[in-house]
Amino acid sequence: RQAFVKKVKKKRRKKNLSAVKAPQKKEEVKAAPSKTEVAMPERQAFVKKMIKHAWDSYEKYAWGYNELLSVGKTGSDSQGMFGNGHLGASLVDALDTLYIAGFDKEYQRGRDWVAKEFTFDKAAGEVSMFEMNIRFMGAFLTMYAFTGDDLYKKQAIDLGERFAKGFHLSTGLSHNAIRLNGFDANSDYSGPCFVIAEPGSLHLEFAYLSKISGDDKYLQIAQRVRSALNTPQMTGLPGLPYSEINTNTGSPCRTDINLDGGSDSYYEYVMKSFIQSGKKDTRAQRLFNTISNTVRTKLMTTVFSGDKPYRVLGRTYGGGGGVDPHLGHLVS
């Protein structure tokens, strides 16, 4: 009997122990991947395919030219903004894309062309400082930041030196167009009036150029431009310059104030220069806060679709009055 009782107790203990389950970890419920996440590898492959297609076509039909005329399958240097020079604008502008996308062989061929063939001396006529800055200066500075290759630093400094000659006006501004070769102080192919995005979109490049060159004059030029664009004569509203200003006098050529194309990148650069400075450029911060407040209070208006109201961004004229609820396509 005692043996039997022991046997039963033993079975019960086993049963009870088996009934006590060890605590289990709570399974994390993962959300199903979105359609975008599922398609991302396919999208990336498609983008790379299109980059390769565009580059191969340029390399085959327009190597060294500023642009590819895709229908005629030939190259062209006819763009006046580049001084009608054989500068390889598309090639230079594409270097960072090739580098980021991992097209190492294609990138190396582009880099070799710059090393062997490129010179700003080929820009025979007047060039747009704005276009040369965002496409050539921006490209060379970006590639130097990526690679540390002194080839790009050298080209950026060369262009900066040529640009600096243009800032001789009493307003602190430069003409719309300058000659990179045989500098002419009176060069100005489009008249004295310029849209504010042209001088207002230099700060990021000039600040970085000063950093890598050790020469503060480029940053000082950009700071003088910012000061010039914020004089009472040039601003119709706090922080908002008139959309078009005379380089010689600083007076407005047009009295509309907007964030359209022609103005847009000036405001973009104010914000980004604050970020670029490691948030130390408190002047840019104060200016951007002023801009934001003025836009909210002076450039916003209400329009109706039937009975439904919409708050929209528009433009104003003469620094006062009502708001015209229309914008250019780059902003709207």
Side-chain angles (χ1 to χ4, degrees), residues 103-207:
F103 289 112
D104 297 337
K105 293 180 180 179
E106 290 81 359
Y107 161 74
Q108 191 59 48
R109 289 197 294 273
R111 192 262 180 211
D112 290 344
W113 184 88
V114 172
K116 297 174 183 177
E117 303 291 337
F118 183 85
T119 173
F120 289 111
D121 291 340
K122 293 181 180 179
E126 296 168 325
V127 302
S128 163
M129 185 178 293
F130 173 81
E131 295 292 342
M132 292 295 294
N133 182 62
I134 64 173
R135 301 185 190 283
F136 288 90
M137 182 71 81
F140 290 138
L141 291 176
T142 298
M143 289 314 304
Y144 179 73
F146 281 164
T147 66
D149 190 335
D150 280 339
L151 168 69
Y152 302 120
K153 178 180 176 180
K154 179 181 177 181
Q155 293 291 356
I157 293 174
D158 182 18
L159 183 56
E161 286 295 309
R162 297 174 193 244
F163 276 173
K165 295 177 182 178
F167 291 91
H168 60 86
L169 301 176
S170 61
T171 54
L173 304 171
S174 171
H175 287 297
N176 293 350
I178 63 169
R179 291 186 182 276
L180 297 182
N181 303 288
F183 178 74
D184 178 3
N186 296 313
S187 173
D188 192 356
Y189 70 58
S190 56
C193 293
F194 67 89
V195 293
I196 61 170
E198 291 178 320
S201 303
L202 301 172
H203 202 112
L204 298 177
E205 290 83 1
F206 278 33

Side-chain angles (χ1 to χ4, degrees), residues 247-260:
T247 57
N248 295 321
T249 65
S251 58
C253 296
R254 285 169 31 192
T255 59
D256 59 309
I257 298 170
N258 59 68
L259 305 187
D260 290 13

Side-chain angles (χ1 to χ4, degrees), residues 213-241:
S213 68
D215 190 339
D216 286 340
K217 72 180 177 184
Y218 308 111
L219 177 58
Q220 291 171 2
I221 288 172
Q223 290 171 337
R224 287 198 299 270
V225 169
R226 180 187 286 171
S227 296
L229 291 177
N230 282 279
T231 60
Q233 186 181 12
M234 293 194 189
T235 50
L237 291 170
L240 305 185

